[in-house]
Amino acid sequence: MLELHQFRHSAFCLKVRMVLQAKGLSFRTVEVTPGLGQVAVFRLSGQRQVPVLVDGDLVLADSSAIARHLERREASPALIPAEQRAAAQMHLLEDWADTTLAAAARSALVQAAALDPELRVALLPDDLPDPLRSVMGALPGGWVSNVSELVNQNERAELLASLEQLALSVQTNPWLVGESMSLADLAVAAQLSLIRFPSSSGSALAGRGVPGLSDHPKLQPLFQWRDQLELKLMERTLEEV
C-alpha cells in the first residue's frame, strides 16, 4: 500500500491526499513529529520536508513531483489536461498556488495563530505533551506584535484581490481549468485550508482560520467550492472501498 509521510495540517500534504483520493488509491498516512520525526524522513528521502510518498521501492518528495508520479501510475481520472493550452494554464495555476498563494496564506495564518491562543494550540502536533501545549497557549503577548509584522499589508491586500477573483471564477465554472477536475483545483483548494480549515482538519480546527479572510463575504463562494470539492473526493474514496 502507498504510504504518505506527512504533517496533518500541511497544505502540501493535503494536496497529495486529495490527489490520492481523486485517483481512488488506497494509502496509509504516517504522521511526522516536527523535529525528531524529521530525522526519520531524512533517512528515508534524503531531505527533511514533507510530504514524502513511499510507493514500493520508490520514495518521492515534493507535492508536485508526487502528483505527477501518481498521474503516470493511475491514468484515470486525468488531472493534467490533454489539450496543450489547458495544460499550460493548469501548470501556471498550480505553480501560483504552491508559491505565491502558499506564502501569503502561511503568513496570514501565522499572524492569526499569534493572536489566537486556541488556534495556536489546535495547530500543534497531536502527540505533543500537555505541558508544552499549555506553554504554547500561554505565551506572553509581547511576541504577538513582532509576529504580526511578518504580514505585509500590501501582501494581504493582494491576497484578498486574488481570492476575490477566484471566488468569481468558481461561481461560473466549478473547475479552474477546462471542464473537469485538475491539479489546479487541488493545489488551490489545499492552500485555502490555511485560510479557513476544512472539516477534514478535525473538530478543533474545522471552520476556523484567518479573521478578515475566512469570514469575508466575497470569499464565501470560494470556501463553499473548496468544501464541495472535498466532499466529492470523500465520496469517491467511499465508492472505492
Side-chain angles (χ1 to χ4, degrees), residues 53-139:
L53 183 75
V54 179
D55 184 359
D57 294 331
L58 188 62
V59 178
L60 294 158
D62 182 81
S63 66
S64 293
I66 293 170
R68 278 150 185 77
H69 166 72
L70 294 174
E71 183 77 356
R72 294 188 296 270
R73 187 183 192 276
E74 188 69 33
S76 180
L79 296 178
I80 298 178
E83 196 273 319
Q84 187 173 7
R85 182 180 178 85
Q89 292 173 336
M90 185 230 76
H91 285 293
L92 287 171
L93 262 176
E94 183 194 19
D95 183 67
W96 173 80
D98 286 352
T99 54
T100 304
L101 177 57
R106 185 166 54 246
S107 295
L109 180 60
V110 165
Q111 183 184 38
L115 297 169
D116 184 347
E118 290 185 5
L119 176 59
R120 193 159 65 238
V121 171
L123 287 167
L124 296 173
D126 292 338
D127 58 355
L128 196 70
D130 288 338
L132 285 179
R133 286 180 172 275
S134 299
V135 169
M136 290 299 295
L139 284 173

Side-chain angles (χ1 to χ4, degrees), residues 4 10-17 19-20 47 49-53 60-71 94-95 97-99 102 183 186-187 190-191:
L4 175 63
S10 160
F12 293 105
C13 294
L14 175 57
K15 175 185 170 185
V16 172
R17 293 199 304 273
V19 173
L20 288 162
Q47 49 84 57
Q49 302 302 311
V50 291
V52 168
L53 183 75
L60 294 158
D62 182 81
S63 66
S64 293
I66 293 170
R68 278 150 185 77
H69 166 72
L70 294 174
E71 183 77 356
E94 183 194 19
D95 183 67
D98 286 352
T99 54
L183 286 178
L186 303 186
Q191 295 301 331

Side-chain angles (χ1 to χ4, degrees), residues 164-184:
E164 286 180 357
Q165 291 302 311
L166 282 174
L168 291 173
S169 175
V170 298
Q171 290 179 76
T172 59
N173 188 335
W175 309 116
L176 296 178
V177 176
E179 300 302 321
S180 62
M181 184 189 303
S182 75
L183 286 178

Side-chain angles (χ1 to χ4, degrees), residues 132-200:
L132 285 179
R133 286 180 172 275
S134 299
V135 169
M136 290 299 295
L139 284 173
W143 80 291
V144 172
S145 59
N146 294 331
V147 173
S148 298
E149 292 174 2
L150 291 174
V151 181
N152 182 285
Q153 292 306 310
N154 289 333
E155 181 183 77
R156 177 67 69 91
E158 291 172 2
L159 173 60
L160 177 58
S162 296
L163 295 178
E164 286 180 357
Q165 291 302 311
L166 282 174
L168 291 173
S169 175
V170 298
Q171 290 179 76
T172 59
N173 188 335
W175 309 116
L176 296 178
V177 176
E179 300 302 321
S180 62
M181 184 189 303
S182 75
L183 286 178
D185 300 297
L186 303 186
V188 169
Q191 295 301 331
L192 289 176
S193 71
L194 299 183
I195 299 172
R196 189 165 82 184
F197 286 93
S199 58
S200 62

